[in-house]
Amino acid sequence: MAKVAFLLASYFEDSEMKNPYEAIKEAGHEATIVGLEKGIVCEGKQGTVSYTSDVAASEVNASDFDAAIIPGGAAPEALRVNDDVVRFVKELNEQGKLIAGICHGPQVMISADILKNKAATSYIGIRDDVKLAGAEYRDEEVVVSENLVTSRTPKDEPAFIREILAKL
């Protein structure tokens, strides 16, 4: 059983959280919602789901987790400016652990400076940011590059989830 952190703030893309979260739990893994603060309600931007954070980013250590998943939407913008979130993602990367981001999720990877010399994809609106962060951008449903898994949009979720589960 793997311990998976879901990095979450409000205005995430509903399905990009709900579907991987449910798939991780169904596969028998432990899912922990890491927010900017403990116990805050994070609302999906479509209004179909909400989640309460289990723990604050300031309280997590990469050594306690096997992976992190970063749903897209507007949430990554709030996450990427938080020093504790960035530290956590950097530490996971240094330990070679799985980091998966979909849609705008790679914005957190950009801020953690972990895309250099990797291949990645994302929502097209941040394609240039991904390239400027040193990644080889690929317009594909899912890109696996060492410990990173990235996808573009909700329609890529089946491939995104498949590759995450394969890595776990």
Side-chain angles (χ1 to χ4, degrees), residues 87-97 99 114 147:
R87 169 198 49 82
F88 179 63
V89 171
K90 278 184 189 216
E91 289 172 1
L92 285 169
N93 189 62
E94 287 163 6
Q95 295 172 22
K97 294 180 177 174
I99 304 166
I114 64 169
N147 61 314

Side-chain angles (χ1 to χ4, degrees), residues 8-25:
L8 206 63
S10 280
Y11 308 114
F12 58 89
E13 182 59 54
D14 299 38
S15 67
E16 292 173 355
M17 171 61 187
K18 180 179 183 285
N19 295 332
Y21 184 74
E22 290 178 0
I24 291 296
K25 294 200 325 187

Side-chain angles (χ1 to χ4, degrees), residues 9 11 20 29 40 44 50 54 59 74 83 88 105-106 146 154 157 164:
Y11 308 114
H29 302 294
I40 56 170
S50 65
D54 298 311
E59 301 170 329
D83 292 341
F88 179 63
E146 297 173 34
E157 285 169 26
I164 289 169

